[in-house]
Amino acid sequence: MSEIDRLIQYLAKLPGLGPRSARRAALHMLKRRETVLEPLAEAMAAAAESIRGCSVCGNLDTRSPCGICADPRRDPAVICVVEDVADLWALERTGSFRGRYHVLGGVLSALDGVGPDDLNIPALVARARGPEIAEVILATSVTVDGQTTAHYIVDRLAGCQVKISGIAHGVPMGGELDYLDDGTLSQALKARRALD
Ligand SMILES: [Zn+2]
C-alpha cells in the first residue's frame, strides 16, 4: 500500500470522516506541507508522546494527576461524573463548575457489550468513600444508556456518605453534553437535583 493510501486509511478512521472526506483531507495536507502537514505531524507525535490519562479522574493531560485534579483552587468536595473527556471539555467551556471530575470512559451498553468493568467506576466508588467528598454530580447523557449508567452508579454509591445529584434539568432527551450550548449546560448544572 502506498504512503498516500495509508494516510487516507488512517484519516478515514477518524470520527466524522468517511473515505471521501479522508481523501480530501489527505490532499489538503499534502498540498500544504509546511503550514499543515509538518506542524500536524509534529503535534500528533508530541501528543502521542506526552498525553496520558489522569490516574485520579481519567482526564487527558500531559501530567498525572491532571491540571484540574492538581489545582488547589478547585473544590475537592464535589466530583462531576462525565462519560467522556469531550463532556469534561464542554463543562469547562461554561466556566461554571469549580469542582473536580471523574471520566467514566463510556456508558454501560448491553448492545455494545460494555459492562461495569470496562468503565472507570471502581475508581469512582473508591474516590467517593474519601472523607473530603461531599457531593457526586452525575452528568451522564439523557440517553437510555446514560441513564442506566447513572442508576448503576447511584446503586454502587449506596453507603457512601455523599449527596448524589443529576443534571437532567434543561438537558433535552437524547441530549449529549458535548452538543449543548454553554448557557444550557451551565443552567443544567446549577439546577441539578438529588438522585437518592
Ligand atoms: Zn485528574
Side-chain angles (χ1 to χ4, degrees), residues 54-59 65-70 101:
C54 171
S55 60
V56 179
C57 75
N59 186 18
C66 70
I68 294 173
C69 286
Y101 293 96

Side-chain angles (χ1 to χ4, degrees), residues 72-153:
R73 292 163 303 178
R74 308 284 302 218
D75 185 356
V78 183
I79 297 175
C80 183
V81 179
V82 293
E83 290 173 18
D84 198 78
V85 175
D87 302 322
L88 184 159
W89 288 344
L91 283 159
E92 283 299 286
R93 281 199 301 272
T94 72
S96 57
F97 180 64
R98 298 307 302 159
R100 293 180 182 167
Y101 293 96
H102 196 88
V103 181
L104 295 174
V107 280
L108 296 174
S109 169
L111 205 60
D112 297 329
V114 181
D117 296 340
D118 301 312
L119 303 177
N120 196 11
I121 293 176
L124 172 64
V125 177
R127 279 181 84 187
R129 291 215 173 94
E132 73 279 18
I133 307 297
E135 181 178 6
V136 173
I137 304 169
L138 298 176
T140 49
S141 305
V142 192
T143 57
V144 172
D145 288 344
Q147 293 309 296
T148 303
T149 307
H151 288 301
Y152 178 81
I153 292 171

